[in-house]
mmCIF file of all heavy atoms in Angstrom:
data_model
loop_
_atom_site.group_PDB
_atom_site.id
_atom_site.type_symbol
_atom_site.label_atom_id
_atom_site.label_comp_id
_atom_site.label_asym_id
_atom_site.label_seq_id
_atom_site.Cartn_x
_atom_site.Cartn_y
_atom_site.Cartn_z
ATOM 1 N N GLY A 27 -16.338 -2.816 19.327
ATOM 2 C CA GLY A 27 -16.282 -1.547 18.578
ATOM 3 C C GLY A 27 -17.308 -1.414 17.485
ATOM 4 O O GLY A 27 -17.463 -0.315 16.919
ATOM 5 N N ARG A 28 -18.011 -2.480 17.154
ATOM 6 C CA ARG A 28 -19.043 -2.432 16.145
ATOM 7 C C ARG A 28 -20.432 -2.392 16.710
ATOM 8 O O ARG A 28 -21.390 -2.256 15.963
ATOM 9 C CB ARG A 28 -18.894 -3.657 15.233
ATOM 10 C CG ARG A 28 -17.569 -3.750 14.489
ATOM 11 C CD ARG A 28 -17.474 -4.873 13.502
ATOM 12 N NE ARG A 28 -18.412 -4.584 12.406
ATOM 13 C CZ ARG A 28 -19.243 -5.526 11.955
ATOM 14 N NH1 ARG A 28 -19.245 -6.726 12.447
ATOM 15 N NH2 ARG A 28 -20.079 -5.238 10.994
ATOM 16 N N GLY A 29 -20.539 -2.438 18.046
ATOM 17 C CA GLY A 29 -21.873 -2.459 18.690
ATOM 18 C C GLY A 29 -22.050 -1.247 19.527
ATOM 19 O O GLY A 29 -21.498 -0.142 19.238
ATOM 20 N N VAL A 30 -22.811 -1.413 20.639
ATOM 21 C CA VAL A 30 -23.280 -0.258 21.446
ATOM 22 C C VAL A 30 -22.579 -0.182 22.802
ATOM 23 O O VAL A 30 -22.802 0.773 23.575
ATOM 24 C CB VAL A 30 -24.783 -0.257 21.620
ATOM 25 C CG1 VAL A 30 -25.503 -0.040 20.299
ATOM 26 C CG2 VAL A 30 -25.252 -1.523 22.348
ATOM 27 N N VAL A 31 -21.686 -1.077 23.174
ATOM 28 C CA VAL A 31 -21.042 -1.010 24.452
ATOM 29 C C VAL A 31 -20.045 0.177 24.475
ATOM 30 O O VAL A 31 -19.323 0.413 23.528
ATOM 31 C CB VAL A 31 -20.255 -2.318 24.732
ATOM 32 C CG1 VAL A 31 -19.381 -2.183 25.986
ATOM 33 C CG2 VAL A 31 -21.217 -3.471 24.905
ATOM 34 N N ASP A 32 -20.178 0.937 25.529
ATOM 35 C CA ASP A 32 -19.308 2.129 25.717
ATOM 36 C C ASP A 32 -18.010 1.648 26.340
ATOM 37 O O ASP A 32 -17.847 1.646 27.543
ATOM 38 C CB ASP A 32 -20.010 3.157 26.575
ATOM 39 C CG ASP A 32 -19.188 4.428 26.762
ATOM 40 O OD1 ASP A 32 -18.011 4.475 26.302
ATOM 41 O OD2 ASP A 32 -19.723 5.378 27.378
ATOM 42 N N PHE A 33 -17.064 1.183 25.518
ATOM 43 C CA PHE A 33 -15.810 0.676 25.989
ATOM 44 C C PHE A 33 -14.981 1.762 26.689
ATOM 45 O O PHE A 33 -14.187 1.458 27.601
ATOM 46 C CB PHE A 33 -15.023 -0.032 24.880
ATOM 47 C CG PHE A 33 -15.554 -1.379 24.556
ATOM 48 C CD1 PHE A 33 -16.279 -1.530 23.338
ATOM 49 C CD2 PHE A 33 -15.459 -2.426 25.384
ATOM 50 C CE1 PHE A 33 -16.809 -2.752 23.035
ATOM 51 C CE2 PHE A 33 -16.034 -3.658 25.063
ATOM 52 C CZ PHE A 33 -16.707 -3.879 23.881
ATOM 53 N N ASP A 34 -15.115 3.004 26.272
ATOM 54 C CA ASP A 34 -14.408 4.100 26.993
ATOM 55 C C ASP A 34 -14.800 4.102 28.444
ATOM 56 O O ASP A 34 -13.949 4.191 29.347
ATOM 57 C CB ASP A 34 -14.703 5.457 26.366
ATOM 58 C CG ASP A 34 -14.050 5.579 24.952
ATOM 59 O OD1 ASP A 34 -13.075 4.895 24.670
ATOM 60 O OD2 ASP A 34 -14.570 6.386 24.184
ATOM 61 N N ALA A 35 -16.086 3.984 28.725
ATOM 62 C CA ALA A 35 -16.559 4.027 30.098
ATOM 63 C C ALA A 35 -16.114 2.781 30.878
ATOM 64 O O ALA A 35 -15.711 2.872 31.999
ATOM 65 C CB ALA A 35 -18.106 4.092 30.150
ATOM 66 N N VAL A 36 -16.146 1.643 30.143
ATOM 67 C CA VAL A 36 -15.703 0.354 30.841
ATOM 68 C C VAL A 36 -14.224 0.466 31.209
ATOM 69 O O VAL A 36 -13.842 0.149 32.348
ATOM 70 C CB VAL A 36 -15.956 -0.849 29.914
ATOM 71 C CG1 VAL A 36 -15.321 -2.088 30.498
ATOM 72 C CG2 VAL A 36 -17.428 -1.048 29.663
ATOM 73 N N LEU A 37 -13.418 0.900 30.274
ATOM 74 C CA LEU A 37 -11.974 0.939 30.531
ATOM 75 C C LEU A 37 -11.603 2.031 31.477
ATOM 76 O O LEU A 37 -10.660 1.845 32.260
ATOM 77 C CB LEU A 37 -11.244 1.045 29.189
ATOM 78 C CG LEU A 37 -11.460 -0.127 28.256
ATOM 79 C CD1 LEU A 37 -10.967 0.191 26.840
ATOM 80 C CD2 LEU A 37 -10.826 -1.383 28.837
ATOM 81 N N THR A 38 -12.297 3.181 31.475
ATOM 82 C CA THR A 38 -12.085 4.232 32.373
ATOM 83 C C THR A 38 -12.347 3.808 33.790
ATOM 84 O O THR A 38 -11.752 4.288 34.793
ATOM 85 C CB THR A 38 -12.894 5.496 32.031
ATOM 86 O OG1 THR A 38 -12.468 5.904 30.708
ATOM 87 C CG2 THR A 38 -12.701 6.628 32.979
ATOM 88 N N ALA A 39 -13.316 2.916 33.980
ATOM 89 C CA ALA A 39 -13.668 2.446 35.291
ATOM 90 C C ALA A 39 -12.626 1.511 35.939
ATOM 91 O O ALA A 39 -12.668 1.247 37.137
ATOM 92 C CB ALA A 39 -15.015 1.689 35.231
ATOM 93 N N LEU A 40 -11.677 1.031 35.161
ATOM 94 C CA LEU A 40 -10.617 0.208 35.693
ATOM 95 C C LEU A 40 -9.719 1.003 36.561
ATOM 96 O O LEU A 40 -9.485 2.237 36.315
ATOM 97 C CB LEU A 40 -9.823 -0.438 34.556
ATOM 98 C CG LEU A 40 -10.553 -1.498 33.735
ATOM 99 C CD1 LEU A 40 -9.755 -1.867 32.486
ATOM 100 C CD2 LEU A 40 -10.969 -2.698 34.554
ATOM 101 N N PRO A 41 -9.053 0.377 37.587
ATOM 102 C CA PRO A 41 -8.152 1.120 38.396
ATOM 103 C C PRO A 41 -6.913 1.529 37.641
ATOM 104 O O PRO A 41 -6.539 0.844 36.688
ATOM 105 C CB PRO A 41 -7.800 0.138 39.533
ATOM 106 C CG PRO A 41 -8.116 -1.212 38.970
ATOM 107 C CD PRO A 41 -9.240 -1.034 37.961
ATOM 108 N N ASP A 42 -6.293 2.623 38.089
ATOM 109 C CA ASP A 42 -5.029 3.031 37.471
ATOM 110 C C ASP A 42 -4.001 1.909 37.568
ATOM 111 O O ASP A 42 -3.925 1.254 38.606
ATOM 112 C CB ASP A 42 -4.493 4.279 38.119
ATOM 113 C CG ASP A 42 -5.293 5.507 37.863
ATOM 114 O OD1 ASP A 42 -6.060 5.544 36.864
ATOM 115 O OD2 ASP A 42 -5.243 6.414 38.691
ATOM 116 N N GLY A 43 -3.296 1.673 36.525
ATOM 117 C CA GLY A 43 -2.290 0.621 36.514
ATOM 118 C C GLY A 43 -2.815 -0.788 36.418
ATOM 119 O O GLY A 43 -2.027 -1.703 36.618
ATOM 120 N N PHE A 44 -4.049 -0.935 36.030
ATOM 121 C CA PHE A 44 -4.631 -2.284 35.861
ATOM 122 C C PHE A 44 -3.747 -3.100 34.937
ATOM 123 O O PHE A 44 -3.432 -2.651 33.846
ATOM 124 C CB PHE A 44 -6.054 -2.193 35.299
ATOM 125 C CG PHE A 44 -6.641 -3.557 35.023
ATOM 126 C CD1 PHE A 44 -7.120 -4.318 36.064
ATOM 127 C CD2 PHE A 44 -6.723 -4.039 33.717
ATOM 128 C CE1 PHE A 44 -7.665 -5.568 35.795
ATOM 129 C CE2 PHE A 44 -7.291 -5.248 33.448
ATOM 130 C CZ PHE A 44 -7.749 -6.029 34.506
ATOM 131 N N ASP A 45 -3.358 -4.293 35.381
ATOM 132 C CA ASP A 45 -2.533 -5.119 34.562
ATOM 133 C C ASP A 45 -3.070 -6.582 34.410
ATOM 134 O O ASP A 45 -2.328 -7.474 34.172
ATOM 135 C CB ASP A 45 -1.071 -5.132 35.104
ATOM 136 C CG ASP A 45 -0.949 -5.834 36.444
ATOM 137 O OD1 ASP A 45 -2.013 -6.072 37.089
ATOM 138 O OD2 ASP A 45 0.182 -6.073 36.875
ATOM 139 N N GLY A 46 -4.367 -6.681 34.532
ATOM 140 C CA GLY A 46 -5.003 -8.000 34.365
ATOM 141 C C GLY A 46 -5.180 -8.351 32.923
ATOM 142 O O GLY A 46 -4.832 -7.634 32.000
ATOM 143 N N TRP A 47 -5.733 -9.531 32.714
ATOM 144 C CA TRP A 47 -6.003 -10.042 31.390
ATOM 145 C C TRP A 47 -7.228 -9.380 30.785
ATOM 146 O O TRP A 47 -8.194 -9.090 31.504
ATOM 147 C CB TRP A 47 -6.235 -11.541 31.477
ATOM 148 C CG TRP A 47 -5.004 -12.341 31.678
ATOM 149 C CD1 TRP A 47 -4.236 -12.366 32.788
ATOM 150 C CD2 TRP A 47 -4.326 -13.189 30.717
ATOM 151 N NE1 TRP A 47 -3.185 -13.280 32.622
ATOM 152 C CE2 TRP A 47 -3.223 -13.746 31.322
ATOM 153 C CE3 TRP A 47 -4.600 -13.531 29.387
ATOM 154 C CZ2 TRP A 47 -2.397 -14.627 30.687
ATOM 155 C CZ3 TRP A 47 -3.808 -14.393 28.739
ATOM 156 C CH2 TRP A 47 -2.657 -14.929 29.356
ATOM 157 N N PHE A 48 -7.233 -9.315 29.446
ATOM 158 C CA PHE A 48 -8.468 -8.956 28.690
ATOM 159 C C PHE A 48 -8.702 -10.133 27.764
ATOM 160 O O PHE A 48 -7.823 -10.696 27.153
ATOM 161 C CB PHE A 48 -8.181 -7.693 27.824
ATOM 162 C CG PHE A 48 -8.077 -6.488 28.654
ATOM 163 C CD1 PHE A 48 -6.913 -5.964 29.117
ATOM 164 C CD2 PHE A 48 -9.237 -5.735 28.930
ATOM 165 C CE1 PHE A 48 -6.794 -4.854 29.882
ATOM 166 C CE2 PHE A 48 -9.169 -4.583 29.630
ATOM 167 C CZ PHE A 48 -7.956 -4.132 30.130
ATOM 168 N N VAL A 49 -9.987 -10.503 27.687
ATOM 169 C CA VAL A 49 -10.417 -11.596 26.784
ATOM 170 C C VAL A 49 -11.485 -10.958 25.900
ATOM 171 O O VAL A 49 -12.476 -10.353 26.369
ATOM 172 C CB VAL A 49 -10.982 -12.756 27.559
ATOM 173 C CG1 VAL A 49 -11.572 -13.812 26.656
ATOM 174 C CG2 VAL A 49 -9.964 -13.320 28.521
ATOM 175 N N ILE A 50 -11.316 -11.119 24.574
ATOM 176 C CA ILE A 50 -12.327 -10.680 23.612
ATOM 177 C C ILE A 50 -13.106 -11.929 23.206
ATOM 178 O O ILE A 50 -12.512 -12.977 22.890
ATOM 179 C CB ILE A 50 -11.723 -10.071 22.368
ATOM 180 C CG1 ILE A 50 -11.061 -8.721 22.764
ATOM 181 C CG2 ILE A 50 -12.758 -9.842 21.254
ATOM 182 C CD1 ILE A 50 -10.394 -8.001 21.601
ATOM 183 N N GLU A 51 -14.442 -11.811 23.284
ATOM 184 C CA GLU A 51 -15.247 -12.949 22.868
ATOM 185 C C GLU A 51 -16.280 -12.511 21.835
ATOM 186 O O GLU A 51 -16.924 -11.460 22.021
ATOM 187 C CB GLU A 51 -16.034 -13.534 24.078
ATOM 188 C CG GLU A 51 -16.886 -14.691 23.671
ATOM 189 C CD GLU A 51 -17.664 -15.310 24.806
ATOM 190 O OE1 GLU A 51 -17.506 -14.862 25.968
ATOM 191 O OE2 GLU A 51 -18.423 -16.253 24.562
ATOM 192 N N VAL A 52 -16.386 -13.274 20.738
ATOM 193 C CA VAL A 52 -17.421 -13.056 19.745
ATOM 194 C C VAL A 52 -18.007 -14.483 19.634
ATOM 195 O O VAL A 52 -17.362 -15.387 19.055
ATOM 196 C CB VAL A 52 -16.867 -12.561 18.433
ATOM 197 C CG1 VAL A 52 -17.982 -12.447 17.366
ATOM 198 C CG2 VAL A 52 -16.139 -11.259 18.559
ATOM 199 N N ASP A 53 -19.186 -14.694 20.168
ATOM 200 C CA ASP A 53 -19.769 -16.044 20.163
ATOM 201 C C ASP A 53 -19.932 -16.625 18.770
ATOM 202 O O ASP A 53 -19.505 -17.767 18.488
ATOM 203 C CB ASP A 53 -21.158 -16.012 20.825
ATOM 204 C CG ASP A 53 -21.087 -15.712 22.314
ATOM 205 O OD1 ASP A 53 -21.016 -14.524 22.672
ATOM 206 O OD2 ASP A 53 -21.063 -16.698 23.039
ATOM 207 N N VAL A 54 -20.484 -15.892 17.860
ATOM 208 C CA VAL A 54 -20.703 -16.280 16.453
ATOM 209 C C VAL A 54 -20.273 -15.081 15.645
ATOM 210 O O VAL A 54 -20.869 -13.973 15.845
ATOM 211 C CB VAL A 54 -22.110 -16.654 16.173
ATOM 212 C CG1 VAL A 54 -22.338 -16.961 14.704
ATOM 213 C CG2 VAL A 54 -22.587 -17.837 17.036
ATOM 214 N N PRO A 55 -19.301 -15.172 14.764
ATOM 215 C CA PRO A 55 -18.869 -13.999 13.976
ATOM 216 C C PRO A 55 -20.027 -13.317 13.350
ATOM 217 O O PRO A 55 -20.932 -13.921 12.758
ATOM 218 C CB PRO A 55 -17.926 -14.574 12.932
ATOM 219 C CG PRO A 55 -17.343 -15.813 13.585
ATOM 220 C CD PRO A 55 -18.491 -16.383 14.403
ATOM 221 N N ASN A 56 -20.079 -12.005 13.441
ATOM 222 C CA ASN A 56 -21.097 -11.205 12.799
ATOM 223 C C ASN A 56 -20.616 -10.812 11.422
ATOM 224 O O ASN A 56 -21.394 -10.403 10.616
ATOM 225 C CB ASN A 56 -21.364 -9.932 13.630
ATOM 226 C CG ASN A 56 -22.691 -9.347 13.382
ATOM 227 O OD1 ASN A 56 -22.852 -8.665 12.402
ATOM 228 N ND2 ASN A 56 -23.629 -9.566 14.290
ATOM 229 N N LEU A 57 -19.377 -10.969 11.181
ATOM 230 C CA LEU A 57 -18.817 -10.757 9.792
ATOM 231 C C LEU A 57 -18.828 -12.053 9.084
ATOM 232 O O LEU A 57 -19.049 -13.115 9.644
ATOM 233 C CB LEU A 57 -17.389 -10.170 9.912
ATOM 234 C CG LEU A 57 -17.339 -8.748 10.510
ATOM 235 C CD1 LEU A 57 -15.949 -8.336 10.870
ATOM 236 C CD2 LEU A 57 -17.990 -7.742 9.549
ATOM 237 N N PRO A 58 -18.626 -12.052 7.763
ATOM 238 C CA PRO A 58 -18.743 -13.243 6.925
ATOM 239 C C PRO A 58 -17.891 -14.468 7.328
ATOM 240 O O PRO A 58 -18.302 -15.582 7.198
ATOM 241 C CB PRO A 58 -18.400 -12.773 5.466
ATOM 242 C CG PRO A 58 -18.738 -11.298 5.477
ATOM 243 C CD PRO A 58 -18.400 -10.825 6.908
ATOM 244 N N THR A 59 -16.658 -14.221 7.893
ATOM 245 C CA THR A 59 -15.822 -15.315 8.193
ATOM 246 C C THR A 59 -15.171 -15.120 9.563
ATOM 247 O O THR A 59 -15.029 -13.942 10.056
ATOM 248 C CB THR A 59 -14.655 -15.503 7.160
ATOM 249 O OG1 THR A 59 -13.747 -14.394 7.302
ATOM 250 C CG2 THR A 59 -15.191 -15.610 5.747
ATOM 251 N N PRO A 60 -14.761 -16.216 10.276
ATOM 252 C CA PRO A 60 -14.042 -16.053 11.520
ATOM 253 C C PRO A 60 -12.741 -15.210 11.382
ATOM 254 O O PRO A 60 -12.365 -14.506 12.256
ATOM 255 C CB PRO A 60 -13.711 -17.508 11.901
ATOM 256 C CG PRO A 60 -14.781 -18.332 11.219
ATOM 257 C CD PRO A 60 -15.039 -17.608 9.934
ATOM 258 N N THR A 61 -12.061 -15.329 10.219
ATOM 259 C CA THR A 61 -10.863 -14.554 9.998
ATOM 260 C C THR A 61 -11.153 -13.080 9.990
ATOM 261 O O THR A 61 -10.461 -12.268 10.598
ATOM 262 C CB THR A 61 -10.190 -14.993 8.670
ATOM 263 O OG1 THR A 61 -9.854 -16.403 8.742
ATOM 264 C CG2 THR A 61 -8.930 -14.163 8.419
ATOM 265 N N GLU A 62 -12.251 -12.663 9.322
ATOM 266 C CA GLU A 62 -12.652 -11.268 9.321
ATOM 267 C C GLU A 62 -13.044 -10.794 10.700
ATOM 268 O O GLU A 62 -12.767 -9.676 11.046
ATOM 269 C CB GLU A 62 -13.756 -11.023 8.311
ATOM 270 C CG GLU A 62 -13.348 -11.180 6.843
ATOM 271 C CD GLU A 62 -14.502 -11.113 5.844
ATOM 272 O OE1 GLU A 62 -14.897 -10.007 5.494
ATOM 273 O OE2 GLU A 62 -15.037 -12.209 5.566
ATOM 274 N N SER A 63 -13.754 -11.661 11.420
ATOM 275 C CA SER A 63 -14.172 -11.299 12.751
ATOM 276 C C SER A 63 -12.902 -11.120 13.702
ATOM 277 O O SER A 63 -12.815 -10.128 14.422
ATOM 278 C CB SER A 63 -15.018 -12.424 13.322
ATOM 279 O OG SER A 63 -15.370 -12.177 14.661
ATOM 280 N N SER A 64 -11.958 -11.987 13.581
ATOM 281 C CA SER A 64 -10.705 -11.856 14.302
ATOM 282 C C SER A 64 -9.937 -10.613 13.956
ATOM 283 O O SER A 64 -9.445 -9.878 14.832
ATOM 284 C CB SER A 64 -9.800 -13.108 14.116
ATOM 285 O OG SER A 64 -10.406 -14.252 14.621
ATOM 286 N N ALA A 65 -9.901 -10.324 12.648
ATOM 287 C CA ALA A 65 -9.227 -9.124 12.174
ATOM 288 C C ALA A 65 -9.891 -7.831 12.713
ATOM 289 O O ALA A 65 -9.226 -6.897 13.123
ATOM 290 C CB ALA A 65 -9.137 -9.115 10.681
ATOM 291 N N ALA A 66 -11.185 -7.815 12.714
ATOM 292 C CA ALA A 66 -11.952 -6.637 13.210
ATOM 293 C C ALA A 66 -11.737 -6.515 14.714
ATOM 294 O O ALA A 66 -11.525 -5.397 15.189
ATOM 295 C CB ALA A 66 -13.451 -6.825 12.934
ATOM 296 N N SER A 67 -11.647 -7.622 15.465
ATOM 297 C CA SER A 67 -11.394 -7.548 16.922
ATOM 298 C C SER A 67 -9.986 -6.995 17.187
ATOM 299 O O SER A 67 -9.762 -6.114 18.046
ATOM 300 C CB SER A 67 -11.545 -8.938 17.558
ATOM 301 O OG SER A 67 -12.886 -9.362 17.422
ATOM 302 N N LEU A 68 -8.981 -7.456 16.395
ATOM 303 C CA LEU A 68 -7.650 -6.931 16.563
ATOM 304 C C LEU A 68 -7.555 -5.466 16.184
ATOM 305 O O LEU A 68 -6.860 -4.714 16.822
ATOM 306 C CB LEU A 68 -6.644 -7.783 15.711
ATOM 307 C CG LEU A 68 -5.194 -7.328 15.736
ATOM 308 C CD1 LEU A 68 -4.618 -7.351 17.162
ATOM 309 C CD2 LEU A 68 -4.348 -8.271 14.821
ATOM 310 N N SER A 69 -8.281 -5.089 15.115
ATOM 311 C CA SER A 69 -8.309 -3.713 14.684
ATOM 312 C C SER A 69 -8.854 -2.801 15.836
ATOM 313 O O SER A 69 -8.359 -1.748 16.068
ATOM 314 C CB SER A 69 -9.139 -3.569 13.422
ATOM 315 O OG SER A 69 -9.257 -2.223 13.071
ATOM 316 N N PHE A 70 -9.897 -3.262 16.512
ATOM 317 C CA PHE A 70 -10.456 -2.556 17.633
ATOM 318 C C PHE A 70 -9.370 -2.279 18.715
ATOM 319 O O PHE A 70 -9.189 -1.196 19.214
ATOM 320 C CB PHE A 70 -11.592 -3.328 18.252
ATOM 321 C CG PHE A 70 -11.970 -2.796 19.650
ATOM 322 C CD1 PHE A 70 -12.671 -1.603 19.775
ATOM 323 C CD2 PHE A 70 -11.618 -3.529 20.786
ATOM 324 C CE1 PHE A 70 -13.010 -1.129 21.088
ATOM 325 C CE2 PHE A 70 -11.903 -3.025 22.045
ATOM 326 C CZ PHE A 70 -12.636 -1.846 22.194
ATOM 327 N N LEU A 71 -8.602 -3.367 19.005
ATOM 328 C CA LEU A 71 -7.519 -3.187 20.012
ATOM 329 C C LEU A 71 -6.466 -2.203 19.555
ATOM 330 O O LEU A 71 -6.033 -1.386 20.330
ATOM 331 C CB LEU A 71 -6.852 -4.572 20.290
ATOM 332 C CG LEU A 71 -7.668 -5.612 21.008
ATOM 333 C CD1 LEU A 71 -6.840 -6.884 21.130
ATOM 334 C CD2 LEU A 71 -8.050 -5.118 22.370
ATOM 335 N N ARG A 72 -6.137 -2.303 18.320
ATOM 336 C CA ARG A 72 -5.083 -1.352 17.787
ATOM 337 C C ARG A 72 -5.598 0.095 17.734
ATOM 338 O O ARG A 72 -4.766 1.012 17.887
ATOM 339 C CB ARG A 72 -4.650 -1.837 16.438
ATOM 340 C CG ARG A 72 -3.772 -3.086 16.535
ATOM 341 C CD ARG A 72 -3.227 -3.511 15.172
ATOM 342 N NE ARG A 72 -2.265 -4.529 15.381
ATOM 343 C CZ ARG A 72 -1.965 -5.441 14.474
ATOM 344 N NH1 ARG A 72 -2.567 -5.438 13.285
ATOM 345 N NH2 ARG A 72 -1.091 -6.367 14.715
#
């Protein structure tokens, strides 16, 4: 949600009723701490 990936397009491309797993990966936090990075990722989901 902080970069350029069009997540609306990615998620719209999923089949109706998709019930698979989602994994969020941030290789190296772009924010000052891992806690802030995790909070930002959760905020995106919410």
